[in-house]
Every structure is written in structure tokens, then in C-alpha cells.
Amino acid sequence: MTQRRRSNQNSSPETQLQTPETTGATAMRLIVPLQGIVQGRGGLILGSLIPCALFYFLQLYLKRNRSPNPPPRSTSSANLGELSRTSSRSNLSSRGSIGSVRISVRASSIAKPSDSPYYIGLEKAAEDPYDRLDNPNGIIQLGLSENRLCFDLIEKWVSENLRDSIMGREGGELSISGIATYQTFDGMTELKVAMAEYMSWVMGRTVPFDPSQMILTAGATPAIEILSFCLADPGNGFLIPTPYYPGFDRDIKYRTGIELIPVHCRSTDNFMLSMTALDQAFNQARKRGIKIRGILLSNPSNPVGNLLSRDMLYSFLDFAREKNIHVICDEIFAGSNYGSEEFLSMAEIVESEEFDKTRVHIIYGLSKDLSLPGFRVGVIYSFNEKVLAAAKKLTRFSSISAPTQRLLVSMLSNTRFIKEYIETNKRRVREIYRLFVAGLEELGIRCAESSAGLFCWADMSSLIPSYSEKGELELWDKLLNIAKINVTPGSACHCIEPGWFRCCFTTLSEADISVVMERIRKVAETCKSSS
């Protein structure tokens, strides 16, 4: 008995709480608590018979009131579609009190409509693009820095070399292995070699470029973002002279969290940066608790179009060494110069003098000088091994397609074509610039002195109703919605002097220039008459 009592006490809860089966064939089971009988001394009635009797009547009641019909058989999965929706399922759609599913704070901020005139103008011009034959009343795009002057040269070369350049030949047979298999994310070695030679050609054969110090990306935009990611942490800052390219506010700040600290330049200095203003901006940022990690320079300048002199480049390197920061040079317009002044690359400066090269980085691409924005090819050129190692891994998210790389290897290696293209492109840019600026001068609109780029920096302050950002945006709105011309207002470029506008002219033909000037003239007349 003792052993039986111990075994009953040590049994699991599942064993103690077993219930009888409820099918019709199952006999009623009586559980007699032996413990009360064993104990005796009056506990037999209270501890055993009364609970036993109650349990017996409960079993009898359940047996008599059980449904005579057997339980329904389970429905197979094939018939699940025929089942009616339960009340719980039907109520799912009515439970709307929880709200819509959320996205990240980062994405919510980016998803908001842009309030920058730069992007508003681009979107509106894309919705109603001007075409001399098909849509002569459309919006003429002067807000996009795109070079269409040499599309004929590109088209001719591609039509003659496309097949062999991309597929290649092995024993006379076309090969798919070179474009269908995985390639290195940071660019094929053959393309780096060809790109280094091309960059040297563009920059006057004054400096060689080392392919091993080159990272290739899907455009200059990811190139500047990846480089920024490598040089600074969220909350850090870059000093940047104004006016500057409006796209930097997205390209650099969106995902890296880096602040752009404007260093304001004046028209009295043709918007050239002074070292005094640079030092003041550095000190003010430090007082605000922002750690400055670098200077971002555009050479040639975008949107002004002026070039940095040798002395200025030396001064920037000295300043960077003194403050222990980086120097980033965006040289994407290096080959699009039309003035008498020669372009000078930062790579030439650091090669000629004993500077700390590890703090110098260059951004380049093929969208401007070679008129291939759709190919999406950018370059990070750095002397810093750690930056190159990190950037190489980050290009996993921004690699160039293998067919594009194969085509470009063949194109950039064709010395005869590249030489002809560079010379022709410079001549055509120079001619269209001369015609466009002359047309503006006839309207009483002067432009800042410039030597390179695909644009001019036009002073329309005489046409704005008030010398303020508000007055500048009112003129921009008239040009966009009345004259049907999209230009970029200076405020979008962080210019502190109202009335300046960037006008990109390399999307135009010579015949289009007269149309542009006539449209501007009509707005100018209404502005002068109202004032």
C-alpha cells in the first residue's frame, strides 16, 4: 500500500488529470480514491463514498445527455475552399482601429514630397518635355546637366562595335561567359586600366592614374555617397563652398547622416572661396558641436563653372593638413572646359609635392564628359588603402553591369575614338556656350565668368520683384509655368545672393536657343513693366 501511495503521489499532472473518453462505445469508468479507505477512522464516508457517489451521478448524467449523432468527420484540405468564412475571419477586415502598417522613420522622411525647386522643376519638365516637332509648347529643360551635343559620335561608335565589344570572341565564336557570370563588384581590372588611361587623356596627359587606387560604382552619385560613408560618421560635417550642386543634399545626407556646412561665397569674388571664410565656417561648426571631417570641392565648380587655381589647391591641402581633415574633389566636369584656362586636377598637385596623400580623394564619372549618364559609371580615386578596402565592399550595393563594363573597355581603349571625341566635344560645348551667353546678354542678363561645365550662372536679379529669396522664386515660377523653361534658382544651390540661376545649355541645339531667348524675353518684359 505504501508503495502504491508513493507512486500515486509521484505521478505526473497529465496522469492525474486524465478524463474518460466520450465516444458511445466507451464504458463509464469509476475512479475509487483508495487513499480514503486506507486511512480509515471515519474518513471512509467523508473522504471516499460521498465523492465517489457524486462522481458516479456525474458520469451517468453525461452519458444520457450525449448527442446520438457521431461527431462530423474532418474536412479534407481539398474542400477547404468550400467552407464558409467564420465570424472571426469575416471580422478581420473590419478591424481598422490598429492603423496602417508603419515604415522606418528614415524612409518616412525621404518619402515626403520634395520642396526643392530643383527637383520640382525636373519633375514638371519630365511630364511635359519640349520637342521641336512633337511638342513645341512643352517645357524646355535647362535644369538638367546633360550633354547631348555629341550623341552622334556615341551612336556611330556603338552601332559599329556593340556586338563584338560586349560578347567578345573566343576562336571566332561568340562567348556569353564574359557577361552572364558574376564579376567583381568594384569593377573589372580591364575597365580600371582603360578608365585610368581615359582620365589621363581628359586631364591633359599631365598626370597618370593608378588603376589599383580606383573603385568603380554605378554612377558618380553612389561614388560620392560611398566615399562620404567611409570618411565621416552620422552627425559629422563636410565644409562645402556655395553655391553648390543641389543634388548633394540628397546624395550625401540621405543615408549617411552627414551634415553639409555651407561656406558662402560672393559675386564680387566671382564666387571663389576665400580661406578666411573657410576657417570661420570650420570654427563656427566646431562651436555648434559638429566635427568637420572634410572639405568637398567641385572643380570645375557646379553651378558657376570656374576653375580652381594651383595656389588655391595648395591652400586647401595646407588647410586640411592643419585641421586634420580630408579633401574630396569632384572633378566630373574636368573634360568639359570651353575657356582659355586649363583644368588642373588635385591628383597632379599631390603627385608633384610632398603632401599626405591619404587624405585626398577624387570623384569622377562618364555622365558629363563622355555623355553617358545612362551607363551609370562612377569612379572613386583614393590614396587611402583603408578607404579603398571599405569602398570595395560597399560597391556590392552599387556595381556596374558586366555588359556595360565590356562595352566601355572597348570604347575607352579605342584611342583614336577617344581623342576625336574629346576634341569635338570641347569645340561643340564652346560654341553652344558662346551662342547661349550672347543671347542672354542681348536680353540684359549677364553671366558669371566661367571656363568649364555644361551650364552658365546667370544673374537675373534685375527681373525679380524684390531682392529676396521670395522674389527669386516668383521669377522661377514664371519662367517654369509661363515661359515653359526650367532653370535652377540660386536658392536651391544655397546661394545667399538672390537672382542667380543655373542654365544648362548642352541639351539644346542651335535652333533651340532662339526659342529659349524668345520665351525669356516675354517674361522679362512683363517683369520690367510691372516694376
Side-chain angles (χ1 to χ4, degrees), residues 65 125-126 149 211 222 253 359 379 391 429 446 494 520:
N65 290 275
L149 301 179
K253 297 168 64 174
R359 68 177 76 251
V379 180
V429 171
R446 73 177 185 90
H494 301 267
I520 295 178

Side-chain angles (χ1 to χ4, degrees), residues 291-362:
K291 294 181 179 179
I292 299 299
R293 295 302 190 193
I295 316 169
L296 175 57
L297 305 171
S298 293
N299 185 31
S301 167
N302 180 7
V304 179
N306 46 26
L307 299 175
L308 294 177
S309 66
R310 184 179 298 270
D311 290 340
M312 285 296 295
L313 293 175
Y314 280 135
S315 298
F316 290 135
L317 289 173
D318 291 337
F319 181 85
R321 180 170 50 190
E322 176 188 343
K323 306 298 184 182
N324 193 27
I325 59 178
H326 295 271
V327 177
I328 307 167
C329 283
D330 178 7
E331 300 184 353
I332 197 168
F333 293 100
S336 299
N337 52 328
Y338 45 77
S340 58
E341 188 178 0
E342 291 295 328
F343 169 80
L344 182 62
S345 174
M346 181 64 83
E348 180 179 346
I349 299 297
V350 296
E351 289 290 351
S352 62
E353 300 287 344
E354 290 297 327
F355 287 104
D356 181 8
K357 298 180 181 180
T358 60
R359 68 177 76 251
V360 176
H361 320 275
I362 296 172

